[in-house]
Amino acid sequence: MQPVHKESLPDARGYFGPFGGRYVPETLMTAILDLTKVYTEAKADPEFQEAFRKNLTEFAGRPTMLTHAASLSRKIGGARIYLKREDLLHTGAHKINNAIGQTLLAKRMGKHRIIAETGAGQHGVATATACAREGLECIVYMGEEDMRRQEPNVYRMRLCGAEVRPVTSGQKTLKDAVNEAMRDWVANSRTTHYLLGSALGCHPFPMMVRDFQKVIGEETRRQILEAEGRLPDEIVACVGGGSNSIGIFYEFLQEPSVKLTGVEAGGRAIEPGQHAARFAGGRLGVLQGCRTLVLQNPDGQIELTHSVSAGLDYAAVGPEHAYYQSIGRIQYGYATDSEALNAFRMLASTEGIIPALESSHALAYAIKRAAELTPDALLCVNLSGRGDKDVQEAARVMAL
Ligand SMILES: *Cc1c(COP(=O)(O)O)cnc(C)c1O
């Protein structure tokens, strides 16, 4: 494992080693440089940070609890498992942390029009609520196919005053919605902020989203020290674009005794089109603004992806993850659809907590891992969201 110099990452051009950067049309460079400058100032401004913290507390519901999953741990008979309860946040997942941070930043830039992309609708809902609170105009691009599958979230966004624009190009899902949002941003960047939902895209987004999510790990450190008097042996989180995972990992990158494990969507199998495990099947490429591991065919065409959880279903992974994997600091595994569904059911029946299907991937790994460890070992799982949104889909694919 190489030493970690997290404070100097990314570099001024947005690189984490060979990953990251700004692969965007020339017409966006002014907006992106402006965003980088304003964010750098905001990051150092105690007033901005105070407003962010206040909103996290009063609106989002932070700090979230760290819950000892006693009966799950007992049932497995291995490590003591703790759950970081991002599922308890307003709108049901960690995404609200980032939505709050970026809406405050948009106001600081004097931009009153917000655009966002959404797949399953979780990021769209978080953005629409934050915009309603801050009095900002909100337009959410969503694939027509996703709108059909996630009707309640479409209604939630509209209820909060957002305009949901159907995207009819390509597969009519998340990747196509990102393309439409980028097109809008190119045309309207003077008045508009693009509120990107994960630790992805061009610099400064991966850095900024990480900074808005790192509160998860900071709280976890305090809480596990209070509960157990020491740091955990391992922290596990699911990886879609990579925001909840980098959010909990960041605080611990320079603690060599804490093993960090990201879990991707193994889908039906690690075969082209059947999964979204970029570390298992991806190659270096450029997608939607950054250089990272991408699922692609030998010609560089983006491969189709599949996961039972919409939030993990994306062809590229955040560049900071690609970097920490390349230096051996974070390890990545995957859980299949059926392993995630089993974990979903197991947490609900042992602890009375229904996790998001995304988070269930992290749980599936943790359940296996805990069994290999002894009861003096401490395992923390980031429960990135709640499963209310998933119960219908779960009922459809598995009979009780
Ligand atoms: C969106 C989402 C994810 C995946 O996104 P990351 O940026 O990788 O965190 C994971 N869990 C939940 C509950 C989500 O809504």
Side-chain angles (χ1 to χ4, degrees):
M1 194 197 300
Q2 291 173 33
V4 169
H5 304 288
K6 68 175 187 180
E7 289 80 10
S8 60
L9 290 171
D11 69 17
R13 289 156 50 247
Y15 280 93
F16 304 85
F19 308 105
R22 291 177 172 126
Y23 295 82
V24 295
E26 199 51 42
T27 43
L28 268 185
M29 273 315 275
T30 310
I32 283 170
L33 292 174
D34 190 38
L35 175 62
T36 311
K37 182 168 161 287
V38 174
Y39 177 64
T40 306
E41 289 161 7
K43 191 171 175 171
D45 178 358
E47 238 172 82
F48 179 85
Q49 293 301 331
E50 181 49 34
F52 178 50
R53 295 289 152 157
K54 191 163 187 284
N55 272 280
L56 288 183
T57 305
E58 291 183 6
F59 185 56
R62 302 209 74 91
T64 60
M65 297 297 111
L66 185 71
T67 304
H68 177 214
S71 30
L72 178 67
S73 306
R74 206 175 315 117
K75 181 158 184 177
I76 298 166
R80 289 164 72 80
I81 300 175
Y82 279 84
L83 306 172
K84 181 57 176 163
R85 301 291 307 280
E86 296 297 291
D87 62 310
L88 295 176
L89 287 175
H90 179 46
T91 67
H94 67 289
K95 289 198 171 75
I96 192 76
N97 301 325
N98 172 51
I100 288 172
Q102 287 198 49
T103 48
L104 295 180
L105 197 64
K107 285 178 86 171
R108 190 179 174 107
M109 288 187 289
K111 295 187 176 178
H112 290 278
R113 181 174 179 269
I114 300 289
I115 55 172
E117 82 295 340
T118 199
Q122 294 304 109
H123 173 56
V125 169
T127 302
T129 54
C131 286
R133 178 166 161 92
E134 298 298 333
L136 298 166
E137 184 185 348
C138 179
I139 291 138
V140 179
Y141 289 92
M142 189 170 186
E144 208 170 44
E145 182 58 25
D146 288 334
M147 284 178 73
R148 190 186 54 74
R149 288 189 292 199
Q150 305 289 338
E151 222 183 271
N153 276 341
V154 174
Y155 185 67
R156 281 186 190 105
M157 289 182 255
R158 288 182 172 151
L159 203 53
C160 292
E163 180 192 338
V164 183
R165 288 198 185 157
V167 175
T168 55
S169 55
Q171 277 179 275
K172 306 176 187 171
T173 57
L174 177 61
K175 183 161 57 62
D176 315 294
V178 175
N179 286 338
E180 281 309 316
M182 290 282 263
R183 229 164 266 147
D184 183 318
W185 203 28
V186 168
N188 301 299
S189 60
R190 215 173 39 78
T191 59
T192 299
H193 175 64
Y194 179 12
L195 206 163
L196 195 87
S198 188
L200 269 173
C202 65
H203 181 62
F205 284 104
M207 168 180 81
M208 210 163 70
V209 176
R210 171 199 76 197
D211 291 346
F212 290 139
Q213 295 289 359
K214 71 186 169 69
V215 61
I216 305 173
E218 291 164 1
E219 287 175 9
T220 302
R221 176 193 285 268
R222 266 203 319 276
Q223 291 167 323
I224 194 75
L225 286 176
E226 197 168 303
E228 293 281 351
R230 69 177 184 91
L231 296 181
D233 297 292
E234 186 167 347
I235 301 176
V236 184
C238 66
V239 186
S243 70
N244 86 87
S245 47
I246 201 68
I248 194 165
F249 292 161
Y250 192 71
E251 176 71 16
F252 300 93
L253 283 167
Q254 286 156 329
E255 300 285 359
S257 71
V258 182
K259 189 172 168 184
L260 303 174
T261 305
V263 185
E264 298 184 286
R268 300 188 191 96
I270 305 299
E271 284 165 20
Q274 301 297 314
H275 70 103
R278 290 71 40 108
F279 289 107
R283 278 189 300 120
L284 194 58
V286 170
L287 183 62
Q288 294 176 331
C290 85
R291 188 159 186 255
T292 185
L293 290 180
V294 179
L295 293 172
Q296 53 189 310
N297 74 11
D299 297 333
Q301 294 296 314
I302 305 310
E303 242 156 32
L304 299 184
T305 50
H306 163 80
S307 171
V308 68
S309 64
L312 303 185
D313 201 350
Y314 187 68
V317 70
E320 191 161 11
H321 289 278
Y323 173 71
Y324 284 119
Q325 192 256 1
S326 75
I327 64 163
R329 177 60 189 100
I330 308 180
Q331 57 151 21
Y332 295 82
Y334 59 83
T336 63
D337 286 355
S338 66
E339 288 170 329
L341 286 163
N342 285 337
F344 175 83
R345 183 153 53 183
M346 189 163 173
L347 191 72
S349 63
T350 55
E351 296 289 339
I353 297 169
I354 301 172
L357 282 174
E358 290 83 2
S359 324
S360 301
H361 287 70
L363 274 171
Y365 168 88
I367 288 166
K368 266 200 266 186
R369 178 72 181 137
E372 301 167 0
L373 300 169
T374 52
D376 57 347
L378 299 178
L379 199 56
C380 283
V381 182
N382 197 18
L383 212 66
S384 53
R386 68 179 84 128
D388 303 30
K389 67 184 178 57
D390 296 316
V391 290
Q392 242 180 346
E393 176 66 6
R396 195 177 67 77
V397 296
M398 76 183 172
L400 273 186

